[in-house]
Amino acid sequence: MSKKNDLGRRKKQHEFNLRREREEKEKLAKKLQAKKNKMKVDGKDKKKKGGSGFQVGKKKVKTKMTPLVKAKAAQAMEIEK
């Protein structure tokens, strides 16, 4: 009988695989729980708002266009053509 067809060996390998999968699930669950706990924000740890711009002198220049500005720009481009 070959080694891979040995019933005892296959049973041990199966149990090992089940144990490893269970440990991986537990590890993932712990990781997700830690991430969920980390996502809770305290009042003093808030980030700055409006991080989508860059500083020029003392004024902040926004790089994100609102839908209204996009529509106006598209209309202006159509007129120029």
Side-chain angles (χ1 to χ4, degrees):
M1 185 179 276
S2 68
K3 286 184 179 179
K4 72 177 187 181
N5 288 333
D6 186 19
L7 186 61
R9 185 178 293 268
R10 283 193 294 169
K11 186 176 179 183
K12 286 180 186 176
Q13 185 66 37
H14 180 69
E15 289 173 358
F16 174 78
N17 288 337
L18 288 177
R19 191 176 340 114
R20 186 175 57 192
E21 288 174 5
R22 190 176 334 114
E23 288 172 357
E24 286 177 2
K25 283 183 183 179
E26 289 173 1
K27 196 175 190 180
L28 182 64
K30 285 180 183 179
K31 195 173 187 180
L32 290 174
Q33 185 66 31
K35 191 179 265 188
K36 190 183 287 185
N37 289 340
K38 193 175 186 181
M39 287 174 62
K40 292 180 182 176
V41 179
D42 293 333
K44 58 187 171 186
D45 292 337
K46 289 184 179 177
K47 293 184 178 181
K48 291 182 182 179
K49 291 185 179 180
S52 65
F54 54 93
Q55 199 75 20
V56 176
K58 291 189 177 183
K59 289 187 176 182
K60 191 165 192 174
V61 178
K62 289 188 177 180
T63 57
K64 193 172 185 181
M65 292 173 50
T66 62
L68 178 65
V69 174
K70 285 181 183 178
K72 285 184 179 179
Q75 192 177 31
M77 294 297 279
E78 288 177 4
I79 294 171
E80 291 179 3
K81 288 181 180 178

